[in-house]
Amino acid sequence: MSAQNDQRRHAEELALMLSDFGMQRMSARVMAAFLFTEKPSLTLGELAEELDVSQGSVSGALKTLHHVGMLERVPVPGSRRDHHRLRRDAWERLYSRQNEVVRKMMAAAEAGIAATGEDSLARGRLQEMYDFYDFMFDELPLLFDRWREKRDARD
Amino acid sequence: MSAQNDQRRHAEELALMLSDFGMQRMSARVMAAFLFTEKPSLTLGELAEELDVSQGSVSGALKTLHHVGMLERVPVPGSRRDHHRLRRDAWERLYSRQNEVVRKMMAAAEAGIAATGEDSLARGRLQEMYDFYDFMFDELPLLFDRWREKRDARD
DNA sequence: ACCTGTCTTCGGAAGTTTCTGAAGGGCGGC
DNA sequence: GCCGCCCTTCAGAAACTTCCGAAGACAGGT
């Protein structure tokens, strides 16, 4: 088996994993293609051919991945096609979406607390929930700061 | 509008949010019911009636939530029904599932690295991915430790 | 202003998930 | 050991998601 095929297999496996974790299947496959390609950037047409799917599907996936902040457009003078590549901090950005989740959980707990009586059982549970997400809300950004610091130091 | 209805509305909204974040709809509704109830524990039948869904659905949701570790069975002498309640550390456990995700991402990056040539572009990207998840893999458990410490100190 | 190549949008088909309702299994009390 | 209650499992229906392919929009070059 060629190294080429080997990598394609790894790419497909990784895509499957990402889709297990909630990413749409097509976005996951596109993501994996960006990770494993030897080209510095890819176009919609290249992706559609490589993955053997319609350009329409790739278009949707690209839109999503740009929206999440994992991809960036690369200017390529003389080419009419859009060139895309993985952002260096793609994974950090993917994980950062947790911040939004945490923020919403906090808000939901807060709303619940406001709607419950002084010493109801429900309030106690909602307070536990609030405290945990409040903690994460404070700490996750600090964690990312430390990561960036570490990475920058390494470079 | 009664406080009762108000809380039900909050519960349903929270359930909707949880399902946005990937939890199955039924599990999310059951979860929300546990959060907002004034009873110290709930049975399958109570849940099915409260949520107006089949017992079969509730059975599946309970199984999942126990599996994730968010619920615990409560012994109630003299009752033939199973009584369940939210674990105190339910949210921490829910979030902890990220550990597994992180571990798998690390493993996938590693596999990719092993399959790429010494200074291929792909290897560079996979190494970035690995480094990030490796960092998270080390740090998340420490973060949880600090949370538990803080919570215990508070009590 | 048109032509050409590229990208996006969208209706509908195919696939997947989720829920129900009914049947069956298990356990405690008698 | 049988009865009755409770829970789980499963097949099928319903709802939702995802993908394709065609049509149309857009932009650059001439």
Side-chain angles (χ1 to χ4, degrees), chain A residues 24-26 53-54 57:
Chain A
Q24 281 197 202
R25 182 167 167 66
M26 190 56 68
V53 295
S54 75
S57 303

Side-chain angles (χ1 to χ4, degrees), chain B residues 60-114:
Chain B
L62 286 175
K63 189 176 173 185
T64 304
L65 292 170
H66 274 286
H67 184 72
V68 174
M70 298 187 80
L71 298 182
E72 60 191 348
R73 250 169 261 276
V74 185
V76 175
S79 171
R80 292 177 59 180
R81 302 182 179 181
D82 281 352
H83 289 247
H84 311 266
R85 74 169 166 228
L86 251 197
R87 293 187 64 121
R88 183 153 186 253
D89 55 0
W91 303 103
E92 181 188 337
R93 281 168 181 266
L94 180 62
Y95 202 99
S96 291
R97 303 192 69 222
Q98 286 292 322
N99 291 349
E100 187 60 8
V101 173
V102 167
R103 206 184 52 67
K104 283 184 181 166
M105 294 295 265
M106 235 174 45
E110 208 165 14
I113 289 169

Side-chain angles (χ1 to χ4, degrees), chain A residues 6-7 10 13 36, chain B residues 105-116 126 130:
Chain A
D6 207 35
Q7 276 174 257
H10 280 292
E13 267 172 29
F36 278 91
Chain B
M105 294 295 265
M106 235 174 45
E110 208 165 14
I113 289 169
T116 55
L126 288 160
Y130 181 85

